[in-house]
Amino acid sequence: MTTPTLRATPELVAIAWLKTVVGNIVATTLPKPGSSGVLSWAESGFVTLVTAGGTPNLYVPLREPVMGVSCWAASPGSQKPPWNKAAALAEAIQAACYDHPAIPQTVTLPSGYPAARVLSAYTTGEHRRIHDDASSYARYDIPGLVIAWTEVPT
């Protein structure tokens, strides 16, 4: 039996690129609270993402997924969501899309995966406040973050 070759995926590439923007506070799901109910990300905020669409290029190995991005913030012990902290994460991502000299760049993926070359990143809409979170978290969504990328040949 042959071991399958690991390939870069839209989520892995988007996480790696977003980590260059906001640091190591990015994943596909929010971290669960610790045993004492403490949120490990309360001080920094957190960013989650999901693949929302996109179309791979028909002729060349160029990928352009559209990612849905959520920027989260929490104030443990308070019922008032820290909207400005969540908005600051969304603004940092938007600003990185305008930082054209910093793109393209090669991003490192988890062990065993090839690196990916991010060629461009842009948003398809303004981030917006999401109300009515039962946990009193602040959340801003970026409806579409398009990251054009290709695998780096090994």
Side-chain angles (χ1 to χ4, degrees):
M1 185 162 146
T2 322
T3 304
T5 303
L6 297 176
R7 307 300 302 252
T9 67
E11 287 177 344
L12 289 175
V13 174
I15 288 169
W17 183 77
L18 284 167
K19 283 182 176 182
T20 69
V21 176
V22 297
N24 197 24
I25 56 168
V26 184
T28 56
T29 58
L30 282 174
K32 299 217 181 301
S35 59
S36 61
V38 174
L39 296 174
S40 60
W41 53 271
E43 187 67 31
S44 61
F46 204 82
V47 176
T48 60
L49 60 89
V50 63
T51 303
T55 305
N57 189 288
L58 183 62
Y59 301 105
V60 296
L62 174 67
R63 307 285 291 273
E64 293 184 273
V66 179
M67 310 303 293
V69 178
S70 295
C71 301
W72 300 84
S75 290
S78 171
Q79 292 300 312
K80 186 173 185 213
W83 294 110
N84 290 338
K85 187 184 290 186
L89 288 170
E91 284 295 333
I93 294 165
Q94 183 65 60
C97 292
Y98 294 136
D99 188 8
H100 300 293
I103 305 171
Q105 66 175 291
T106 300
V107 294
T108 303
L109 303 184
S111 178
Y113 289 89
R117 183 86 173 146
V118 173
L119 303 172
S120 68
Y122 61 93
T123 59
T124 61
E126 290 290 337
H127 58 271
R128 65 185 189 277
R129 185 183 288 202
I130 305 299
H131 293 279
D132 298 326
D133 185 281
S135 59
S136 295
Y137 293 169
R139 175 177 154 204
Y140 272 83
D141 279 358
I142 299 171
L145 171 65
V146 180
I147 299 178
W149 62 274
T150 187
E151 280 187 359
V152 175
T154 53

